[in-house]
Amino acid sequence: MPHPLRTRSFRLLFAGRTLSLLGDAVIPVALTLAVLDATGSTSALAVVLACAMVPRLLLLPVGGVVGDRFNARTVALATDLVRAASQLFVGMELLGGEPLLWQIAVAEVIGGAAGAFAMPTVSPLITGTVRPGELHRANALMGVVRSATRLGGPALGGTLVLTAGAGWAFVLDGLSFAVSAALLVGVRVAHAPIPRRSMLADLREGWGEVRSRDWYWTSLIAHSAWNGAAAVLMTLGPAIALHDMGGQAAWAVMMQTGAVGLLLGSLLAGRARPRRPVLVANLGLASYALPLAMLAVAAPAPLTIAAYGIAQAGLGFLSPVWETSVQSAIPSHALARVTSYDWLLSLAAMPLGYTLAPLAAAAWGPEVPLAVAAVVVGGACAGTVAVRGVRQFTRPAPTPSAHSLEHVQKQV
């Protein structure tokens, strides 16, 4: 079977995504430290983070429509340039020594809005640059890079902040987007244009594609539950690690173990080809109940850390398997819209978890929200077994007219 990296367009896309993912991975540490250093306020940090998240959530469905109407390369190139400019601006402000909070916030709004248009283009970019038989390998490669940057990015970001300053981390991210845009110029992406209609009609059609597949929308509920549960763990876990697991070092080891597990899960996904991919992937995702339950009962640190590594391996395995399943089963003309709803529901669950977890912990103690989150994520993910569409979903053979590079109406 041919390897996707033998295709020039995918090689360029892969290189660009690798650089932009690495650049993005250094930003969380840099942004947190930069805002806290400039303002000394966690409330200011929350405002800046909201400035990036809110426009992304609001505009994701619109981004899906744009991704289906226009060639994915054009949309991705434009959003890379916008994000390059916004990150370079923040970097220059920080390096200038007198950053203003409102300027950083506006830059994050612009970057978040651009992300809403960029995220739905990922699947169309992959399906438009590789042949149907190469999709799984292509998604596995993307998953490995995504996991590897999550493993090394925070360390790189911390090193940059401590040695050169937070501004250089933003400069690095901006340059990574600029190089990604330059590489996209040489990418040729197959694209089947859709008829021009109203934005509302396109949104309805995309939602209709979601509703018509029970395996898809029930899995979206499960994935949203996972994201909400992850927010609960990230909110309450550090304090438990500090008081019951041996301190900050235990939490740091737990996070690094999770990053390693994520990478191993992605590597496994590149080799495993389950006959019922959606079912197997969702069951793997249900393993996130393990570390939540361990934290709830204050289990010994080694057990909790190991459980978190296993749970993250389940996530690493799910991502490429799920993406290949979706790309193979969803018509190419609706792929960006369908995946935008996936992103929307998943991302929207995280602020809910961040908000409710501390309130519930204050009322009943951290054990209660952690235990509830474990039940919810385990039940939602494992519960998809009861859905006929999930049980019956097997690796579909995509129709050449929908996905093959030789059977497209337009190629740019």
Side-chain angles (χ1 to χ4, degrees), residues 69-403:
R69 283 187 179 183
F70 302 98
N71 189 283
R73 186 200 66 169
T74 304
V75 179
L77 197 157
T79 56
D80 273 357
L81 291 175
V82 171
R83 288 187 289 180
S86 68
Q87 297 298 71
L88 287 172
F89 173 80
V90 174
M92 293 299 103
E93 286 295 308
L94 293 175
L95 292 175
E98 296 182 1
L100 298 177
L101 180 64
W102 74 266
Q103 293 177 331
I104 296 175
V106 170
E108 290 303 306
V109 167
I110 294 171
F117 290 87
M119 293 162 73
T121 66
V122 175
S123 279
L125 282 170
I126 294 173
T127 59
T129 53
V130 302
R131 300 180 187 280
E134 301 168 358
L135 277 178
H136 187 75
R137 282 187 174 181
N139 285 311
L141 284 169
M142 292 293 192
V144 169
V145 168
R146 188 164 51 243
S147 301
T149 54
R150 288 186 185 180
L151 177 61
L156 176 60
T159 301
L160 276 173
V161 170
L162 294 175
T163 58
W168 286 108
F170 283 90
V171 170
L172 173 65
D173 194 28
L175 291 176
S176 74
F177 280 120
V179 174
S180 175
L183 291 172
L184 281 171
V185 172
V187 175
R188 296 294 176 263
V189 180
H191 174 61
I194 62 175
R196 293 299 177 90
R197 293 165 300 189
S198 69
M199 179 69 69
L200 185 58
D202 282 341
L203 289 170
R204 285 174 176 168
E205 183 184 53
W207 183 245
E209 294 286 349
V210 172
R211 289 179 55 197
S212 66
R213 295 168 172 84
D214 62 351
W215 63 269
Y216 190 83
W217 64 262
T218 54
S219 293
L220 293 195
I221 294 174
H223 301 171
S224 297
W226 187 96
N227 279 277
V232 173
L233 187 147
M234 296 304 295
T235 302
L236 303 180
I240 293 177
L242 187 64
H243 294 102
D244 299 327
M245 292 172 56
Q248 295 178 346
W251 180 253
V253 171
M254 182 171 163
M255 291 299 100
Q256 285 301 105
T257 301
V260 172
L262 190 71
L263 178 58
L264 292 176
S266 300
L267 291 170
L268 176 62
R271 293 180 172 273
R273 299 196 177 233
R275 183 168 177 268
R276 302 186 186 279
V278 175
L279 175 62
V280 173
N282 284 347
L283 288 176
L285 206 62
S287 63
Y288 204 78
L290 294 175
L292 287 163
M294 294 289 182
L295 288 169
V297 300
L303 289 179
T304 305
I305 292 170
Y308 188 69
I310 293 171
Q312 289 297 94
L315 174 63
F317 180 82
L318 172 127
S319 294
V321 172
W322 171 253
E323 288 159 7
T324 302
S325 300
V326 172
Q327 293 162 4
S328 300
I330 302 297
S332 59
H333 69 269
L335 187 56
R337 281 169 289 173
V338 168
T339 55
S340 74
Y341 286 115
D342 187 354
W343 281 111
L344 176 63
L345 293 177
S346 293
L347 292 180
M350 298 190 76
L352 188 63
Y354 289 134
T355 302
L356 294 180
L359 295 176
W364 302 296
E367 300 82 5
V368 172
L370 286 166
V372 170
V375 172
V376 169
V377 72
C381 294
T384 59
V385 174
V387 180
R388 192 162 109 184
V390 172
R391 295 195 308 272
Q392 294 182 346
F393 187 98
T394 57
R395 292 195 310 268
T399 57
S401 59
H403 297 277

Side-chain angles (χ1 to χ4, degrees), residues 28-81:
V29 173
L31 180 62
T32 299
L33 295 179
V35 173
L36 291 178
D37 183 59
T39 67
S41 169
T42 55
S43 297
L45 176 60
V47 169
V48 171
L49 294 175
C51 285
M53 176 65 75
V54 172
R56 184 173 298 166
L57 289 175
L58 293 176
L59 292 174
L60 261 170
V62 179
V65 172
V66 172
D68 282 331
R69 283 187 179 183
F70 302 98
N71 189 283
R73 186 200 66 169
T74 304
V75 179
L77 197 157
T79 56
D80 273 357
L81 291 175

